[in-house]
Amino acid sequence: MKKKILFVVTSHDKKGSTGEDTGYYLGEVSHPWEVLHKAGYEIDFVSPKGGTPPVDGFDLKDPVNKEFWENKEYKNRIDHSMTPSQVNPKEYSAIFYAGGHGAMWDFADNKELADIASKIYENGGIVAGVCHGPAGLVNIKLNNGKYLVDGKKINAFTNEEESEVKLTDVVPFLLEDKLKERGAEFEKSGLWQNHVVADQRVITGQNPQSAKSVGEAILKELNNK
C-alpha cells in the first residue's frame, strides 16, 4: 500500500451572512503537510465540491505557508481537489480535516466525506482534524452504530475562541457543544494555546497554533502501526 494521506478542505467561502470571506486556513494545511510530506507521505486533497477551494489565513511571511504555496505539484493538487465520489478510501492510511471557518458550513452534513472517514477508520486508519476541521467528525458513525467521537478524548476550536473572534452567533453551531453532544470527552487549553489529543486513532487539535503538532501526532501514530 502506498503511503497516502487524504486532506479534506472546505469549499465554503463566506462566514454566514457577514459577507466576510473564509475558506480553508492555509497554515492548517501547510504545517501538517510539511511534517507528513517530509516523512515520505503522499497527500491528496478532497473538498465537498472539488476543484479550487477558497483559502483563508493567506500569509506568505510564514515560511511553511510559502513553501507549500510555491510547491508546484502540491499547489496544483489542492487547486484541483477531488470530489468525494472520486476518492477510494482503501488507498489512505489517514484522513485529516483542515480547519478554516468555512468547514463549519460544509463538513458536518457531508455524508460522503463521513462515509470515507468511517471506512478509513474501520480499515485501521487514522482520523484527524484541527481547529474547525473536527466539524467533519461530528456525524461520522461506525459500523457499530456509534458516533466516532463517542467516549473518546477530543479537542477542537473552543467556545471561548469562537467568542473571542466574535462569530458565536454566526457559525451554524458551536463545535465544542456539538462534539460533547455526540459523546466526546472534550479537552481544551486557554485561548490560542497549542493543544493536541490522540485517542484510539483519532487525533484532534484546538486551533491554528496546533496544526504542526497535529501533523506530528499523525506521523507518530502512523509509525506506531
Side-chain angles (χ1 to χ4, degrees), residues 1 6 88-97 113-128 136-137 140-144 146-154 198-204 221 225:
M1 180 164 142
L6 186 64
N88 176 1
K90 292 187 176 134
E91 290 183 11
Y92 301 97
S93 35
I95 181 169
F96 165 72
Y97 288 86
L113 286 171
D115 191 42
I116 290 164
S118 170
K119 286 183 170 134
I120 290 171
Y121 188 78
E122 300 276 15
N123 199 27
I126 294 159
V127 176
L137 276 56
I140 297 172
K141 280 195 166 174
L142 301 176
N143 289 337
N144 61 10
K146 283 188 165 182
Y147 285 108
L148 170 72
V149 298
D150 188 8
K152 293 187 181 74
K153 293 182 180 126
I154 299 289
D199 190 1
Q200 301 168 64
R201 292 183 288 113
V202 178
I203 296 164
T204 42
E221 188 74 41
K225 281 172 67 179

Side-chain angles (χ1 to χ4, degrees), residues 139-187:
N139 288 322
I140 297 172
K141 280 195 166 174
L142 301 176
N143 289 337
N144 61 10
K146 283 188 165 182
Y147 285 108
L148 170 72
V149 298
D150 188 8
K152 293 187 181 74
K153 293 182 180 126
I154 299 289
N155 176 226
F157 204 66
T158 66
N159 290 351
E160 291 83 359
E161 285 166 328
E162 206 64 83
S163 174
E164 185 78 3
V165 296
K166 300 185 169 50
L167 290 169
T168 301
D169 298 327
V170 174
V171 290
F173 59 91
L174 287 173
L175 187 48
E176 177 182 331
D177 290 355
K178 185 68 76 176
L179 287 162
K180 287 175 179 169
E181 272 175 42
R182 298 291 190 250
E185 294 175 24
F186 197 88
E187 287 193 354

